[in-house]
PDB file of all heavy atoms in Angstrom:
ATOM      1  N   ALA A   9      -3.956  -6.390  13.085  1.00 67.00           N
ATOM      2  CA  ALA A   9      -3.293  -6.139  14.360  1.00 67.00           C
ATOM      3  C   ALA A   9      -2.633  -7.390  14.925  1.00 67.00           C
ATOM      4  O   ALA A   9      -1.754  -7.301  15.788  1.00 67.00           O
ATOM      5  CB  ALA A   9      -4.301  -5.581  15.363  1.00 67.00           C
ATOM      6  N   ALA A  10      -3.060  -8.558  14.465  1.00 66.00           N
ATOM      7  CA  ALA A  10      -2.485  -9.810  14.956  1.00 66.00           C
ATOM      8  C   ALA A  10      -1.190 -10.176  14.256  1.00 66.00           C
ATOM      9  O   ALA A  10      -0.496 -11.104  14.691  1.00 66.00           O
ATOM     10  CB  ALA A  10      -3.491 -10.952  14.788  1.00 66.00           C
ATOM     11  N   LEU A  11      -0.830  -9.457  13.198  1.00 74.00           N
ATOM     12  CA  LEU A  11       0.375  -9.791  12.449  1.00 74.00           C
ATOM     13  C   LEU A  11       1.616  -9.270  13.158  1.00 74.00           C
ATOM     14  O   LEU A  11       1.576  -8.278  13.889  1.00 74.00           O
ATOM     15  CB  LEU A  11       0.298  -9.191  11.049  1.00 74.00           C
ATOM     16  CG  LEU A  11      -0.900  -9.613  10.198  1.00 74.00           C
ATOM     17  CD1 LEU A  11      -0.826  -8.936   8.842  1.00 74.00           C
ATOM     18  CD2 LEU A  11      -0.965 -11.111  10.042  1.00 74.00           C
ATOM     19  N   LEU A  12       2.716  -9.929  12.908  1.00 60.00           N
ATOM     20  CA  LEU A  12       3.974  -9.528  13.507  1.00 60.00           C
ATOM     21  C   LEU A  12       4.522  -8.274  12.843  1.00 60.00           C
ATOM     22  O   LEU A  12       4.323  -8.045  11.652  1.00 60.00           O
ATOM     23  CB  LEU A  12       5.000 -10.654  13.359  1.00 60.00           C
ATOM     24  CG  LEU A  12       4.718 -11.939  14.136  1.00 60.00           C
ATOM     25  CD1 LEU A  12       5.739 -12.996  13.749  1.00 60.00           C
ATOM     26  CD2 LEU A  12       4.765 -11.685  15.629  1.00 60.00           C
ATOM     27  N   TYR A  13       5.243  -7.478  13.653  1.00 64.00           N
ATOM     28  CA  TYR A  13       6.005  -6.387  13.069  1.00 64.00           C
ATOM     29  C   TYR A  13       7.035  -6.964  12.106  1.00 64.00           C
ATOM     30  O   TYR A  13       7.511  -8.087  12.280  1.00 64.00           O
ATOM     31  CB  TYR A  13       6.711  -5.585  14.167  1.00 64.00           C
ATOM     32  CG  TYR A  13       5.876  -4.501  14.771  1.00 64.00           C
ATOM     33  CD1 TYR A  13       4.614  -4.755  15.291  1.00 64.00           C
ATOM     34  CD2 TYR A  13       6.353  -3.200  14.819  1.00 64.00           C
ATOM     35  CE1 TYR A  13       3.842  -3.752  15.852  1.00 64.00           C
ATOM     36  CE2 TYR A  13       5.594  -2.178  15.379  1.00 64.00           C
ATOM     37  CZ  TYR A  13       4.334  -2.471  15.893  1.00 64.00           C
ATOM     38  OH  TYR A  13       3.578  -1.472  16.434  1.00 64.00           O
ATOM     39  N   GLU A  14       7.392  -6.177  11.090  1.00 61.00           N
ATOM     40  CA  GLU A  14       8.339  -6.634  10.088  1.00 61.00           C
ATOM     41  C   GLU A  14       9.621  -5.811  10.166  1.00 61.00           C
ATOM     42  O   GLU A  14       9.600  -4.631  10.499  1.00 61.00           O
ATOM     43  CB  GLU A  14       7.717  -6.535   8.698  1.00 61.00           C
ATOM     44  CG  GLU A  14       6.471  -7.390   8.570  1.00 61.00           C
ATOM     45  CD  GLU A  14       5.846  -7.287   7.196  1.00 61.00           C
ATOM     46  OE1 GLU A  14       4.996  -6.405   7.030  1.00 61.00           O
ATOM     47  OE2 GLU A  14       6.198  -8.080   6.323  1.00 61.00           O
ATOM     48  N   GLU A  15      10.747  -6.447   9.831  1.00 61.00           N
ATOM     49  CA  GLU A  15      12.040  -5.794   9.912  1.00 61.00           C
ATOM     50  C   GLU A  15      12.384  -5.103   8.595  1.00 61.00           C
ATOM     51  O   GLU A  15      12.156  -5.644   7.521  1.00 61.00           O
ATOM     52  CB  GLU A  15      13.134  -6.822  10.235  1.00 61.00           C
ATOM     53  CG  GLU A  15      12.951  -7.519  11.580  1.00 61.00           C
ATOM     54  CD  GLU A  15      13.049  -6.568  12.752  1.00 61.00           C
ATOM     55  OE1 GLU A  15      13.837  -5.586  12.659  1.00 61.00           O
ATOM     56  OE2 GLU A  15      12.335  -6.785  13.749  1.00 61.00           O
ATOM     57  N   ASP A  16      12.901  -3.895   8.695  1.00 58.00           N
ATOM     58  CA  ASP A  16      13.435  -3.177   7.553  1.00 58.00           C
ATOM     59  C   ASP A  16      14.947  -3.212   7.680  1.00 58.00           C
ATOM     60  O   ASP A  16      15.545  -2.459   8.447  1.00 58.00           O
ATOM     61  CB  ASP A  16      12.922  -1.741   7.536  1.00 58.00           C
ATOM     62  CG  ASP A  16      13.325  -0.985   6.273  1.00 58.00           C
ATOM     63  OD1 ASP A  16      14.297  -1.414   5.620  1.00 58.00           O
ATOM     64  OD2 ASP A  16      12.686   0.027   5.942  1.00 58.00           O
ATOM     65  N   ALA A  17      15.576  -4.118   6.926  1.00 52.00           N
ATOM     66  CA  ALA A  17      17.017  -4.317   7.066  1.00 52.00           C
ATOM     67  C   ALA A  17      17.800  -3.056   6.708  1.00 52.00           C
ATOM     68  O   ALA A  17      18.873  -2.802   7.265  1.00 52.00           O
ATOM     69  CB  ALA A  17      17.460  -5.479   6.189  1.00 52.00           C
ATOM     70  N   ALA A  18      17.274  -2.259   5.799  1.00 54.00           N
ATOM     71  CA  ALA A  18      18.000  -1.066   5.353  1.00 54.00           C
ATOM     72  C   ALA A  18      18.106  -0.025   6.457  1.00 54.00           C
ATOM     73  O   ALA A  18      19.047   0.767   6.487  1.00 54.00           O
ATOM     74  CB  ALA A  18      17.315  -0.464   4.127  1.00 54.00           C
ATOM     75  N   THR A  19      17.134   0.001   7.368  1.00 56.00           N
ATOM     76  CA  THR A  19      17.142   1.013   8.423  1.00 56.00           C
ATOM     77  C   THR A  19      17.286   0.422   9.809  1.00 56.00           C
ATOM     78  O   THR A  19      17.330   1.151  10.798  1.00 56.00           O
ATOM     79  CB  THR A  19      15.835   1.831   8.383  1.00 56.00           C
ATOM     80  OG1 THR A  19      14.719   0.944   8.598  1.00 56.00           O
ATOM     81  CG2 THR A  19      15.666   2.510   7.041  1.00 56.00           C
ATOM     82  N   ASP A  20      17.338  -0.903   9.885  1.00 53.00           N
ATOM     83  CA  ASP A  20      17.444  -1.596  11.170  1.00 53.00           C
ATOM     84  C   ASP A  20      16.291  -1.211  12.094  1.00 53.00           C
ATOM     85  O   ASP A  20      16.478  -0.970  13.280  1.00 53.00           O
ATOM     86  CB  ASP A  20      18.789  -1.284  11.846  1.00 53.00           C
ATOM     87  CG  ASP A  20      19.071  -2.242  13.006  1.00 53.00           C
ATOM     88  OD1 ASP A  20      18.587  -3.390  12.954  1.00 53.00           O
ATOM     89  OD2 ASP A  20      19.761  -1.843  13.963  1.00 53.00           O
ATOM     90  N   GLU A  21      15.078  -1.135  11.527  1.00 59.00           N
ATOM     91  CA  GLU A  21      13.895  -0.800  12.288  1.00 59.00           C
ATOM     92  C   GLU A  21      12.786  -1.806  12.004  1.00 59.00           C
ATOM     93  O   GLU A  21      12.765  -2.448  10.953  1.00 59.00           O
ATOM     94  CB  GLU A  21      13.388   0.611  11.939  1.00 59.00           C
ATOM     95  CG  GLU A  21      14.322   1.734  12.351  1.00 59.00           C
ATOM     96  CD  GLU A  21      13.746   3.091  12.032  1.00 59.00           C
ATOM     97  OE1 GLU A  21      12.528   3.170  11.757  1.00 59.00           O
ATOM     98  OE2 GLU A  21      14.499   4.073  12.048  1.00 59.00           O
ATOM     99  N   ALA A  22      11.883  -1.915  12.952  1.00 62.00           N
ATOM    100  CA  ALA A  22      10.685  -2.724  12.745  1.00 62.00           C
ATOM    101  C   ALA A  22       9.503  -1.796  12.515  1.00 62.00           C
ATOM    102  O   ALA A  22       9.460  -0.680  13.026  1.00 62.00           O
ATOM    103  CB  ALA A  22      10.421  -3.617  13.951  1.00 62.00           C
ATOM    104  N   TYR A  23       8.527  -2.258  11.739  1.00 63.00           N
ATOM    105  CA  TYR A  23       7.380  -1.419  11.438  1.00 63.00           C
ATOM    106  C   TYR A  23       6.120  -2.274  11.404  1.00 63.00           C
ATOM    107  O   TYR A  23       6.177  -3.478  11.136  1.00 63.00           O
ATOM    108  CB  TYR A  23       7.565  -0.691  10.107  1.00 63.00           C
ATOM    109  CG  TYR A  23       7.860  -1.598   8.937  1.00 63.00           C
ATOM    110  CD1 TYR A  23       6.842  -2.111   8.146  1.00 63.00           C
ATOM    111  CD2 TYR A  23       9.169  -1.940   8.623  1.00 63.00           C
ATOM    112  CE1 TYR A  23       7.098  -2.946   7.080  1.00 63.00           C
ATOM    113  CE2 TYR A  23       9.444  -2.781   7.551  1.00 63.00           C
ATOM    114  CZ  TYR A  23       8.410  -3.279   6.789  1.00 63.00           C
ATOM    115  OH  TYR A  23       8.684  -4.112   5.744  1.00 63.00           O
ATOM    116  N   PRO A  24       4.977  -1.670  11.704  1.00 77.00           N
ATOM    117  CA  PRO A  24       3.714  -2.430  11.713  1.00 77.00           C
ATOM    118  C   PRO A  24       3.359  -2.916  10.310  1.00 77.00           C
ATOM    119  O   PRO A  24       3.789  -2.337   9.313  1.00 77.00           O
ATOM    120  CB  PRO A  24       2.683  -1.405  12.205  1.00 77.00           C
ATOM    121  CG  PRO A  24       3.477  -0.312  12.841  1.00 77.00           C
ATOM    122  CD  PRO A  24       4.772  -0.263  12.099  1.00 77.00           C
ATOM    123  N   PRO A  25       2.550  -3.967  10.216  1.00 83.00           N
ATOM    124  CA  PRO A  25       2.139  -4.490   8.911  1.00 83.00           C
ATOM    125  C   PRO A  25       1.001  -3.665   8.313  1.00 83.00           C
ATOM    126  O   PRO A  25      -0.125  -4.148   8.130  1.00 83.00           O
ATOM    127  CB  PRO A  25       1.700  -5.918   9.243  1.00 83.00           C
ATOM    128  CG  PRO A  25       1.193  -5.825  10.650  1.00 83.00           C
ATOM    129  CD  PRO A  25       2.075  -4.813  11.335  1.00 83.00           C
ATOM    130  N   TYR A  26       1.301  -2.400   7.991  1.00 86.00           N
ATOM    131  CA  TYR A  26       0.285  -1.508   7.438  1.00 86.00           C
ATOM    132  C   TYR A  26      -0.327  -2.069   6.153  1.00 86.00           C
ATOM    133  O   TYR A  26      -1.474  -1.765   5.816  1.00 86.00           O
ATOM    134  CB  TYR A  26       0.898  -0.135   7.134  1.00 86.00           C
ATOM    135  CG  TYR A  26       1.353   0.647   8.340  1.00 86.00           C
ATOM    136  CD1 TYR A  26       2.647   1.157   8.416  1.00 86.00           C
ATOM    137  CD2 TYR A  26       0.490   0.883   9.405  1.00 86.00           C
ATOM    138  CE1 TYR A  26       3.068   1.887   9.512  1.00 86.00           C
ATOM    139  CE2 TYR A  26       0.912   1.610  10.513  1.00 86.00           C
ATOM    140  CZ  TYR A  26       2.202   2.112  10.566  1.00 86.00           C
ATOM    141  OH  TYR A  26       2.608   2.824  11.655  1.00 86.00           O
ATOM    142  N   TRP A  27       0.449  -2.852   5.419  1.00 88.00           N
ATOM    143  CA  TRP A  27       0.005  -3.368   4.125  1.00 88.00           C
ATOM    144  C   TRP A  27      -1.280  -4.175   4.224  1.00 88.00           C
ATOM    145  O   TRP A  27      -2.024  -4.292   3.242  1.00 88.00           O
ATOM    146  CB  TRP A  27       1.104  -4.249   3.511  1.00 88.00           C
ATOM    147  CG  TRP A  27       1.425  -5.457   4.354  1.00 88.00           C
ATOM    148  CD1 TRP A  27       2.396  -5.553   5.310  1.00 88.00           C
ATOM    149  CD2 TRP A  27       0.765  -6.723   4.336  1.00 88.00           C
ATOM    150  NE1 TRP A  27       2.381  -6.795   5.887  1.00 88.00           N
ATOM    151  CE2 TRP A  27       1.389  -7.537   5.313  1.00 88.00           C
ATOM    152  CE3 TRP A  27      -0.296  -7.245   3.598  1.00 88.00           C
ATOM    153  CZ2 TRP A  27       0.992  -8.849   5.567  1.00 88.00           C
ATOM    154  CZ3 TRP A  27      -0.698  -8.552   3.852  1.00 88.00           C
ATOM    155  CH2 TRP A  27      -0.049  -9.335   4.820  1.00 88.00           C
ATOM    156  N   ALA A  28      -1.540  -4.779   5.398  1.00 87.00           N
ATOM    157  CA  ALA A  28      -2.644  -5.729   5.522  1.00 87.00           C
ATOM    158  C   ALA A  28      -4.011  -5.067   5.652  1.00 87.00           C
ATOM    159  O   ALA A  28      -5.033  -5.739   5.555  1.00 87.00           O
ATOM    160  CB  ALA A  28      -2.406  -6.644   6.722  1.00 87.00           C
ATOM    161  N   GLU A  29      -4.035  -3.757   5.860  1.00 91.00           N
ATOM    162  CA  GLU A  29      -5.294  -3.041   5.995  1.00 91.00           C
ATOM    163  C   GLU A  29      -5.840  -2.632   4.625  1.00 91.00           C
ATOM    164  O   GLU A  29      -5.076  -2.379   3.684  1.00 91.00           O
ATOM    165  CB  GLU A  29      -5.095  -1.767   6.829  1.00 91.00           C
ATOM    166  CG  GLU A  29      -4.658  -2.021   8.263  1.00 91.00           C
ATOM    167  CD  GLU A  29      -5.829  -2.376   9.164  1.00 91.00           C
ATOM    168  OE1 GLU A  29      -6.968  -2.455   8.664  1.00 91.00           O
ATOM    169  OE2 GLU A  29      -5.595  -2.571  10.367  1.00 91.00           O
ATOM    170  N   LEU A  30      -7.151  -2.539   4.525  1.00 94.00           N
ATOM    171  CA  LEU A  30      -7.789  -1.966   3.338  1.00 94.00           C
ATOM    172  C   LEU A  30      -7.943  -0.467   3.587  1.00 94.00           C
ATOM    173  O   LEU A  30      -8.865  -0.030   4.263  1.00 94.00           O
ATOM    174  CB  LEU A  30      -9.145  -2.618   3.081  1.00 94.00           C
ATOM    175  CG  LEU A  30      -9.936  -2.050   1.902  1.00 94.00           C
ATOM    176  CD1 LEU A  30      -9.175  -2.247   0.591  1.00 94.00           C
ATOM    177  CD2 LEU A  30     -11.318  -2.676   1.829  1.00 94.00           C
ATOM    178  N   TRP A  31      -7.027   0.323   3.052  1.00 96.00           N
ATOM    179  CA  TRP A  31      -7.020   1.755   3.313  1.00 96.00           C
ATOM    180  C   TRP A  31      -7.926   2.483   2.322  1.00 96.00           C
ATOM    181  O   TRP A  31      -7.832   2.271   1.111  1.00 96.00           O
ATOM    182  CB  TRP A  31      -5.591   2.294   3.207  1.00 96.00           C
ATOM    183  CG  TRP A  31      -4.675   1.720   4.234  1.00 96.00           C
ATOM    184  CD1 TRP A  31      -3.754   0.725   4.054  1.00 96.00           C
ATOM    185  CD2 TRP A  31      -4.601   2.091   5.608  1.00 96.00           C
ATOM    186  NE1 TRP A  31      -3.114   0.450   5.228  1.00 96.00           N
ATOM    187  CE2 TRP A  31      -3.607   1.270   6.204  1.00 96.00           C
ATOM    188  CE3 TRP A  31      -5.267   3.023   6.401  1.00 96.00           C
ATOM    189  CZ2 TRP A  31      -3.273   1.366   7.553  1.00 96.00           C
ATOM    190  CZ3 TRP A  31      -4.940   3.115   7.746  1.00 96.00           C
ATOM    191  CH2 TRP A  31      -3.950   2.305   8.312  1.00 96.00           C
ATOM    192  N   PRO A  32      -8.791   3.375   2.808  1.00 98.00           N
ATOM    193  CA  PRO A  32      -9.670   4.123   1.900  1.00 98.00           C
ATOM    194  C   PRO A  32      -8.913   4.898   0.831  1.00 98.00           C
ATOM    195  O   PRO A  32      -9.404   5.058  -0.291  1.00 98.00           O
ATOM    196  CB  PRO A  32     -10.440   5.058   2.843  1.00 98.00           C
ATOM    197  CG  PRO A  32     -10.434   4.346   4.162  1.00 98.00           C
ATOM    198  CD  PRO A  32      -9.110   3.655   4.231  1.00 98.00           C
ATOM    199  N   SER A  33      -7.724   5.395   1.148  1.00 98.00           N
ATOM    200  CA  SER A  33      -6.948   6.138   0.146  1.00 98.00           C
ATOM    201  C   SER A  33      -6.597   5.256  -1.041  1.00 98.00           C
ATOM    202  O   SER A  33      -6.599   5.720  -2.195  1.00 98.00           O
ATOM    203  CB  SER A  33      -5.668   6.697   0.778  1.00 98.00           C
ATOM    204  OG  SER A  33      -5.962   7.732   1.693  1.00 98.00           O
ATOM    205  N   ALA A  34      -6.282   3.989  -0.788  1.00 98.00           N
ATOM    206  CA  ALA A  34      -5.957   3.071  -1.882  1.00 98.00           C
ATOM    207  C   ALA A  34      -7.180   2.822  -2.756  1.00 98.00           C
ATOM    208  O   ALA A  34      -7.073   2.735  -3.988  1.00 98.00           O
ATOM    209  CB  ALA A  34      -5.412   1.763  -1.334  1.00 98.00           C
ATOM    210  N   VAL A  35      -8.348   2.706  -2.133  1.00 98.00           N
ATOM    211  CA  VAL A  35      -9.581   2.496  -2.888  1.00 98.00           C
ATOM    212  C   VAL A  35      -9.864   3.700  -3.781  1.00 98.00           C
ATOM    213  O   VAL A  35     -10.194   3.561  -4.971  1.00 98.00           O
ATOM    214  CB  VAL A  35     -10.765   2.229  -1.944  1.00 98.00           C
ATOM    215  CG1 VAL A  35     -12.076   2.134  -2.722  1.00 98.00           C
ATOM    216  CG2 VAL A  35     -10.532   0.949  -1.142  1.00 98.00           C
ATOM    217  N   GLU A  36      -9.723   4.904  -3.222  1.00 98.00           N
ATOM    218  CA  GLU A  36     -10.011   6.113  -4.002  1.00 98.00           C
ATOM    219  C   GLU A  36      -8.985   6.317  -5.105  1.00 98.00           C
ATOM    220  O   GLU A  36      -9.328   6.786  -6.203  1.00 98.00           O
ATOM    221  CB  GLU A  36     -10.068   7.329  -3.081  1.00 98.00           C
ATOM    222  CG  GLU A  36     -11.255   7.312  -2.129  1.00 98.00           C
ATOM    223  CD  GLU A  36     -12.570   7.084  -2.861  1.00 98.00           C
ATOM    224  OE1 GLU A  36     -12.907   7.900  -3.746  1.00 98.00           O
ATOM    225  OE2 GLU A  36     -13.241   6.074  -2.573  1.00 98.00           O
ATOM    226  N   LEU A  37      -7.729   5.969  -4.848  1.00 98.00           N
ATOM    227  CA  LEU A  37      -6.721   6.088  -5.892  1.00 98.00           C
ATOM    228  C   LEU A  37      -7.000   5.098  -7.015  1.00 98.00           C
ATOM    229  O   LEU A  37      -6.893   5.439  -8.208  1.00 98.00           O
ATOM    230  CB  LEU A  37      -5.326   5.857  -5.308  1.00 98.00           C
ATOM    231  CG  LEU A  37      -4.154   6.037  -6.272  1.00 98.00           C
ATOM    232  CD1 LEU A  37      -4.143   7.438  -6.877  1.00 98.00           C
ATOM    233  CD2 LEU A  37      -2.834   5.752  -5.562  1.00 98.00           C
ATOM    234  N   ALA A  38      -7.358   3.871  -6.657  1.00 98.00           N
ATOM    235  CA  ALA A  38      -7.713   2.883  -7.685  1.00 98.00           C
ATOM    236  C   ALA A  38      -8.877   3.378  -8.536  1.00 98.00           C
ATOM    237  O   ALA A  38      -8.883   3.224  -9.769  1.00 98.00           O
ATOM    238  CB  ALA A  38      -8.058   1.544  -7.025  1.00 98.00           C
ATOM    239  N   HIS A  39      -9.874   3.984  -7.889  1.00 98.00           N
ATOM    240  CA  HIS A  39     -11.031   4.497  -8.616  1.00 98.00           C
ATOM    241  C   HIS A  39     -10.618   5.598  -9.589  1.00 98.00           C
ATOM    242  O   HIS A  39     -11.061   5.628 -10.746  1.00 98.00           O
ATOM    243  CB  HIS A  39     -12.064   5.022  -7.626  1.00 98.00           C
ATOM    244  CG  HIS A  39     -13.388   5.355  -8.243  1.00 98.00           C
ATOM    245  ND1 HIS A  39     -13.698   6.621  -8.692  1.00 98.00           N
ATOM    246  CD2 HIS A  39     -14.480   4.599  -8.492  1.00 98.00           C
ATOM    247  CE1 HIS A  39     -14.916   6.631  -9.182  1.00 98.00           C
ATOM    248  NE2 HIS A  39     -15.419   5.417  -9.076  1.00 98.00           N
ATOM    249  N   ALA A  40      -9.739   6.500  -9.145  1.00 98.00           N
ATOM    250  CA  ALA A  40      -9.289   7.587 -10.023  1.00 98.00           C
ATOM    251  C   ALA A  40      -8.473   7.047 -11.190  1.00 98.00           C
ATOM    252  O   ALA A  40      -8.623   7.516 -12.330  1.00 98.00           O
ATOM    253  CB  ALA A  40      -8.458   8.588  -9.221  1.00 98.00           C
ATOM    254  N   VAL A  41      -7.613   6.081 -10.927  1.00 98.00           N
ATOM    255  CA  VAL A  41      -6.810   5.489 -11.996  1.00 98.00           C
ATOM    256  C   VAL A  41      -7.705   4.843 -13.043  1.00 98.00           C
ATOM    257  O   VAL A  41      -7.447   4.931 -14.246  1.00 98.00           O
ATOM    258  CB  VAL A  41      -5.822   4.460 -11.404  1.00 98.00           C
ATOM    259  CG1 VAL A  41      -5.184   3.621 -12.507  1.00 98.00           C
ATOM    260  CG2 VAL A  41      -4.740   5.173 -10.594  1.00 98.00           C
ATOM    261  N   SER A  42      -8.781   4.213 -12.590  1.00 98.00           N
ATOM    262  CA  SER A  42      -9.654   3.475 -13.510  1.00 98.00           C
ATOM    263  C   SER A  42     -10.454   4.391 -14.433  1.00 98.00           C
ATOM    264  O   SER A  42     -11.072   3.922 -15.386  1.00 98.00           O
ATOM    265  CB  SER A  42     -10.617   2.574 -12.720  1.00 98.00           C
ATOM    266  OG  SER A  42     -11.635   3.320 -12.083  1.00 98.00           O
ATOM    267  N   GLU A  43     -10.436   5.680 -14.173  1.00 97.00           N
ATOM    268  CA  GLU A  43     -11.171   6.625 -15.023  1.00 97.00           C
ATOM    269  C   GLU A  43     -10.480   6.867 -16.359  1.00 97.00           C
ATOM    270  O   GLU A  43     -11.108   7.374 -17.297  1.00 97.00           O
ATOM    271  CB  GLU A  43     -11.329   7.960 -14.292  1.00 97.00           C
ATOM    272  CG  GLU A  43     -12.245   7.901 -13.087  1.00 97.00           C
ATOM    273  CD  GLU A  43     -12.315   9.230 -12.361  1.00 97.00           C
ATOM    274  OE1 GLU A  43     -11.414  10.072 -12.553  1.00 97.00           O
ATOM    275  OE2 GLU A  43     -13.272   9.439 -11.598  1.00 97.00           O
ATOM    276  N   GLN A  44      -9.191   6.532 -16.456  1.00 97.00           N
ATOM    277  CA  GLN A  44      -8.436   6.855 -17.666  1.00 97.00           C
ATOM    278  C   GLN A  44      -7.931   5.589 -18.351  1.00 97.00           C
ATOM    279  O   GLN A  44      -7.915   4.506 -17.770  1.00 97.00           O
ATOM    280  CB  GLN A  44      -7.252   7.765 -17.309  1.00 97.00           C
ATOM    281  CG  GLN A  44      -7.681   9.112 -16.744  1.00 97.00           C
ATOM    282  CD  GLN A  44      -6.524  10.079 -16.619  1.00 97.00           C
ATOM    283  OE1 GLN A  44      -5.525   9.984 -17.326  1.00 97.00           O
ATOM    284  NE2 GLN A  44      -6.653  11.029 -15.713  1.00 97.00           N
ATOM    285  N   ASP A  45      -7.505   5.776 -19.594  1.00 98.00           N
ATOM    286  CA  ASP A  45      -6.923   4.690 -20.371  1.00 98.00           C
ATOM    287  C   ASP A  45      -5.400   4.765 -20.239  1.00 98.00           C
ATOM    288  O   ASP A  45      -4.791   5.768 -20.611  1.00 98.00           O
ATOM    289  CB  ASP A  45      -7.331   4.830 -21.842  1.00 98.00           C
ATOM    290  CG  ASP A  45      -6.828   3.689 -22.708  1.00 98.00           C
ATOM    291  OD1 ASP A  45      -6.097   2.819 -22.191  1.00 98.00           O
ATOM    292  OD2 ASP A  45      -7.169   3.668 -23.896  1.00 98.00           O
ATOM    293  N   TRP A  46      -4.794   3.713 -19.710  1.00 98.00           N
ATOM    294  CA  TRP A  46      -3.352   3.678 -19.520  1.00 98.00           C
ATOM    295  C   TRP A  46      -2.696   2.657 -20.454  1.00 98.00           C
ATOM    296  O   TRP A  46      -1.682   2.048 -20.110  1.00 98.00           O
ATOM    297  CB  TRP A  46      -3.026   3.371 -18.064  1.00 98.00           C
ATOM    298  CG  TRP A  46      -3.562   4.411 -17.135  1.00 98.00           C
ATOM    299  CD1 TRP A  46      -4.675   4.321 -16.357  1.00 98.00           C
ATOM    300  CD2 TRP A  46      -3.028   5.717 -16.923  1.00 98.00           C
ATOM    301  NE1 TRP A  46      -4.866   5.492 -15.652  1.00 98.00           N
ATOM    302  CE2 TRP A  46      -3.875   6.370 -15.991  1.00 98.00           C
ATOM    303  CE3 TRP A  46      -1.928   6.409 -17.438  1.00 98.00           C
ATOM    304  CZ2 TRP A  46      -3.639   7.666 -15.550  1.00 98.00           C
ATOM    305  CZ3 TRP A  46      -1.693   7.699 -17.005  1.00 98.00           C
ATOM    306  CH2 TRP A  46      -2.546   8.313 -16.070  1.00 98.00           C
ATOM    307  N   HIS A  47      -3.261   2.491 -21.643  1.00 98.00           N
ATOM    308  CA  HIS A  47      -2.768   1.477 -22.572  1.00 98.00           C
ATOM    309  C   HIS A  47      -1.268   1.623 -22.817  1.00 98.00           C
ATOM    310  O   HIS A  47      -0.780   2.682 -23.227  1.00 98.00           O
ATOM    311  CB  HIS A  47      -3.508   1.575 -23.911  1.00 98.00           C
ATOM    312  CG  HIS A  47      -2.994   0.608 -24.941  1.00 98.00           C
ATOM    313  ND1 HIS A  47      -3.198  -0.755 -24.834  1.00 98.00           N
ATOM    314  CD2 HIS A  47      -2.268   0.813 -26.071  1.00 98.00           C
ATOM    315  CE1 HIS A  47      -2.629  -1.352 -25.863  1.00 98.00           C
ATOM    316  NE2 HIS A  47      -2.060  -0.430 -26.623  1.00 98.00           N
ATOM    317  N   ASP A  48      -0.544   0.572 -22.485  1.00 98.00           N
ATOM    318  CA  ASP A  48       0.897   0.451 -22.720  1.00 98.00           C
ATOM    319  C   ASP A  48       1.721   1.459 -21.920  1.00 98.00           C
ATOM    320  O   ASP A  48       2.922   1.632 -22.184  1.00 98.00           O
ATOM    321  CB  ASP A  48       1.219   0.582 -24.206  1.00 98.00           C
ATOM    322  CG  ASP A  48       2.503  -0.164 -24.565  1.00 98.00           C
ATOM    323  OD1 ASP A  48       2.772  -1.214 -23.947  1.00 98.00           O
ATOM    324  OD2 ASP A  48       3.242   0.308 -25.445  1.00 98.00           O
ATOM    325  N   ALA A  49       1.124   2.136 -20.946  1.00 98.00           N
ATOM    326  CA  ALA A  49       1.877   3.066 -20.108  1.00 98.00           C
ATOM    327  C   ALA A  49       2.630   2.295 -19.031  1.00 98.00           C
ATOM    328  O   ALA A  49       2.121   1.335 -18.453  1.00 98.00           O
ATOM    329  CB  ALA A  49       0.933   4.077 -19.461  1.00 98.00           C
ATOM    330  N   ALA A  50       3.853   2.723 -18.739  1.00 98.00           N
ATOM    331  CA  ALA A  50       4.632   2.131 -17.658  1.00 98.00           C
ATOM    332  C   ALA A  50       4.181   2.751 -16.343  1.00 98.00           C
ATOM    333  O   ALA A  50       4.299   3.964 -16.138  1.00 98.00           O
ATOM    334  CB  ALA A  50       6.120   2.383 -17.885  1.00 98.00           C
TER     335      ALA A  50
END
């Protein structure tokens, strides 16, 4: 919450620094991805 809003030059808008949070959805997605073998997959 202490971080500055960031500018999106493509839309001329500012947005909160959502990236800085540890979101539970990202944790669960990482866990699901780790269940499979992605050898050499793009």
